[in-house]
Amino acid sequence: MPDLHLPLGFQYAGVHCGVKSDAKKPDLSLFVSDRPCAAVGVYTQNRVVGAPVIVDRARTPSDSVRAVVINSGNANACTGERGVEDAQRMTALVAIAVDAAREDVLVCSTGIIGHHLPMEQIENGIGLAKGVLSGSAESLELAARGMMTTDTFPKIASRSEDWDGTIVTVTGACKGAAMIAPNMATMLAVVMTDVAIDATQASMILKEAVDESFNSISVDGHTSTSDTVLLLANGASGRPAETPEEIESVRSMVTLVCQNLAEMIIRDAEGAEHFVRIEIAGLPDRNDARKIAKTIAEGALCKTAITGNDPNWGRFVSAAGYSEVEFDLNQLSLDINGVRVFESGSPVVYDEALVSSRMAEGEVNLHLDFGGETDPAGPVVFLTSDLTAEYVRLNSEYTT
Amino acid sequence: MPDLHLPLGFQYAGVHCGVKSDAKKPDLSLFVSDRPCAAVGVYTQNRVVGAPVIVDRARTPSDSVRAVVINSGNANACTGERGVEDAQRMTALVAIAVDAAREDVLVCSTGIIGHHLPMEQIENGIGLAKGVLSGSAESLELAARGMMTTDTFPKIASRSEDWDGTIVTVTGACKGAAMIAPNMATMLAVVMTDVAIDATQASMILKEAVDESFNSISVDGHTSTSDTVLLLANGASGRPAETPEEIESVRSMVTLVCQNLAEMIIRDAEGAEHFVRIEIAGLPDRNDARKIAKTIAEGALCKTAITGNDPNWGRFVSAAGYSEVEFDLNQLSLDINGVRVFESGSPVVYDEALVSSRMAEGEVNLHLDFGGETDPAGPVVFLTSDLTAEYVRLNSEYTT
């Protein structure tokens, strides 16, 4: 990523400190701003949460965050009071390193559940990371690698705009759900911008962006204990978002960055052979539409039909039927990769071999139209992967 | 099943008429009572329903049902108005054959979705079936076989009691979710008794029994378009259930028969290598408990941990966490096959190799205690199977 424009005022580091056994793999990352940031978070809906989520929830929204520290290899979840103390200590160590208050440092952990963090290694790693902090794209990539568990590639996305001669930027790094591990597939993302926005604006922008991105993907429906998306805005570009157009522009950049990252997560879902895009049109309520899409995306019989390149529309239609959303079957039509297979509640004659061969190319598009008015913002788009024997093998290997 | 005591006044038949291609496999079944039955049904919650469900819902509850006709191989679902006409015609043909009103005949279909029934074969089959009706256990087994799609064995369960010298009986036949087919894995059951109860009593009894049996199992969470459980009571034993004790006794027999059948469905879940029993104690609300059990039962990461004999309690605990039921993690304890692995919200040291080897025997018992009062009726028990590469293979084979 040589010509990646990064937001001003941020520095990154990713180092190996020994949480992971493989010394070639970074396992501790820092994201540091040279000035206070407006910072907000969106956290897992799971009632069982990792210690870092407890700490970050208490510290956001904030107008003074300076850094985020992330370790991979150990989720620090289901670790009781000592886990919370360890998470707090991580932030205290970073605070000393970057000369901040510890309340202005956020923390994320991802990896195995139910084990205490190796704090000696973590402490050492924070020292190492501080020594190599830089604003380069290479450092950002190392920081993105330091978040990875079973991801096969680092995930970074960026958008810039020219605001009357000032370049403003939104850049995000995330780790996804590669689903090899015997652990949860935690989703973590840090999104940074050098536009100045306050925490209230940031909160509204991030919530919307997450709904249209990370909340619109699913590999297997298992909500992790540690899912976290953070948005940090440090204003280092010198430009605040003041007009409605500017705020809309930031919202759009943040949403696009989150959507790019979310798509990378699905493309990196291990064991997957198909990238699946589910579009729901003709329903006025986006939440209803997303609920139907999620039910199809997570249905084992839907996923395995796609695995087998089988345009078995009965599975998709009946999954919509058990999604708990009201609709009129006689208004429902379904296209698979551009071919109408079900129309107004009845089967239609179509070329099954053609549709199957299009599915076999690896990208599957399910377009469901429920016959009503579509939300002005367009159809809901939900991304998922298929379910393969390889997924089962990867996730059932005995590794405890 | 030589010494199976069957309810008086019922006759059965199962024949091959040609819906299925294999001439050795029965595909049409009749259950006939020699007198009118109180009859009630519990039907799929899916908003997309097969034509037979539309017909039966309109005819139950009833005090005058005489027969149930079932075909396998074709679900008569998503077949529009013609599908409803076909289902009604099946009941009309049976009504003529057994000298009843057509409103007093119920109908079920299971098999592929989106195809019209081959009515000529069905009509012929009804004639054949009428000719071989008998009250023998052999005929009942043929009727149970005529309901099967991908089941590997017929599923029949029975309970009798001696009421002051009169034997009263509840017998059920069902087909389950063997999950090979490219179609829905519809669950159908017909439960018969020769006790006299009215439709109001029957309705209350069946609802409770289904909650504690068929609604407490899941293979993959896909609610079929055609799920149907029917209870027929013909009073042929000469004994009505009048006292609270007698009604309780019928309720108990019906529940046990349904639980036996439900367990057979899980044991016949194809591709499965583990039989999994999830017990939820320490929650006052049975629906909450069932919701948590279902979330664990249907979680791909939970299922694959079991496939791999991995006592990976983090997956089970975090699945409980995303079930949308409120609970206090610090009160939660988990035993796997009798070994405590998680206690009061914290990991405990245990013998992982021992637990894994017990899991490898093929039966897995997850006992979750949420620390509160258990419902007086005892812990909720939920049955499921694991998720294997074989399941994926069976369900992804291209067969449309």
Side-chain angles (χ1 to χ4, degrees), chain A residues 311-327:
Chain A
N312 195 332
W313 55 263
R315 292 190 184 180
F316 307 126
V317 169
S318 64
Y322 73 80
S323 66
E324 297 181 357
V325 175
E326 294 277 359
F327 64 87

Side-chain angles (χ1 to χ4, degrees), chain A residues 46-47 182 308 310 312 318 321 396 400, chain B residues 46 182 308 310 312 318 321 396 400:
Chain A
N46 199 311
R47 281 188 171 71
D310 183 357
N312 195 332
S318 64
S396 64
T400 297
Chain B
N46 200 310
D310 184 355
N312 195 332
S318 63
S396 64
T400 296

Side-chain angles (χ1 to χ4, degrees), chain A residues 86 120 126 163 191 200 229 253 255 263 284:
Chain A
D86 286 347
E120 202 174 320
I126 289 169
W163 285 10
V191 181
T200 308
V229 182
M253 285 194 286
T255 300
E263 179 170 338

